[in-house]
């Protein structure tokens, strides 16, 4: 099963009119991948292209439009790709198969509404509190800096982050930022609060420091009590005391 981490990306280039046992090859390939339990695959039809035959296929010429290129792409585990490659090699008699190393950063699946609700899990122990103080007008490339930081934290699998927007404050430069009915500041103070393990907070602080130009990072020791709803049934200990 495909999971977050190292994986293989397979790209197959064929012509739209290529046949396989009286069926379009791209249809046969997609059906084969689906029956083999591939997590997902996409077939796209190119606008124009040429291959080893050095013939330009384009929709501008009707006779050449029948040979437009098709691109099939999917991502799977290395073991699964190794299992499928021999069959794909036999099926693609005129085309190109490319395999690349890749990394799955996020694998999101729709949640099932039929699953019963499980009891809450309680996690308790020492942790770190990370607070980042910056200005609302601070930017990171083409977006607000606080939004970019939250996105980065999410990609790092940090447990959670909360952004607070201040109504009054000043920083190291001594400039007062406030919001009132007569004055609307475009640079109100913003604080991002994060609680997680010391290792994740240390890594997050290092990344955020590289994104800040003018701000403050504070790390404190805290005691964490986290309540989360379990996504799986509770494990039942057997007679030896271990979990089954």
């Amino acid at each position: 099963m495909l999971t977050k981490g190292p994986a293989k990306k397979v790209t197959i280039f064929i012509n739209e009119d290529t046949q396989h046992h009286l069926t379009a090859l791209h249809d046969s390939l997609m059906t084969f991948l689906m029956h083999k339990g591939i997590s997902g695959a996409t077939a796209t039809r190119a606008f124009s292209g040429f291959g080893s035959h050095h013939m330009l296929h384009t929709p501008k010429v009707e006779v050449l439009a029948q040979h437009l290129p098709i691109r099939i792409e999917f991502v799977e585990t290395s073991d699964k790709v190794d299992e499928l490659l021999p069959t794909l090699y036999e099926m693609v008699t005129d085309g190109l198969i490319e395999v690349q190393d890749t990394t799955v950063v996020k694998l999101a699946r729709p949640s099932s509404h039929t699953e019963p609700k499980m009891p809450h899990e309680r996690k308790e122990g020492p942790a770190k509190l990370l607070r980042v103080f910056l200005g609302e007008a601070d930017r990171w490339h083409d977006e607000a800096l606080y939004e970019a930081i939250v996105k980065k934290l999410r990609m790092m699998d940090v447990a959670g982050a909360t952004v607070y927007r201040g109504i009054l404050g000043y920083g190291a430069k001594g400039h007062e930022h406030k919001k009132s009915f007569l004055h609307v500041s475009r640079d109100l103070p913003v604080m991002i609060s994060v609680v997680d393990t010391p290792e994740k907070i240390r890594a997050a602080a290092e990344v955020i420091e590289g994104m800040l130009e003018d701000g403050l990072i504070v790390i404190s020791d805290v005691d964490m009590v986290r309540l989360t709803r379990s996504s799986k049934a509770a494990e039942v200990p057997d007679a030896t005391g271990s979990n089954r």
Side-chain angles (χ1 to χ4, degrees), residues 115-129:
E115 294 181 358
K117 290 185 177 180
M118 298 299 175
H120 282 98
E121 290 183 352
R122 188 177 190 273
K123 298 180 180 180
E124 182 178 1
K128 294 284 187 180
L129 167 63

Side-chain angles (χ1 to χ4, degrees), residues 19-20 22 24 54 73 77 81 95 99 112 139 159 169 183 192-193 199 218 224:
Q19 297 289 302
H20 180 264
L22 303 179
H54 294 286
E73 191 172 60
T77 63
V81 170
V99 180
S112 174
R139 307 290 292 177
H183 174 79
I192 303 173
S193 176
E199 295 77 13
V218 179
M224 176 182 66

Side-chain angles (χ1 to χ4, degrees), residues 215-229:
L216 177 67
I217 299 175
V218 179
I219 300 177
S220 309
D221 294 322
V222 295
D223 291 324
M224 176 182 66
V225 177
R226 174 172 293 150
L227 300 175
T228 57
R229 189 172 294 279

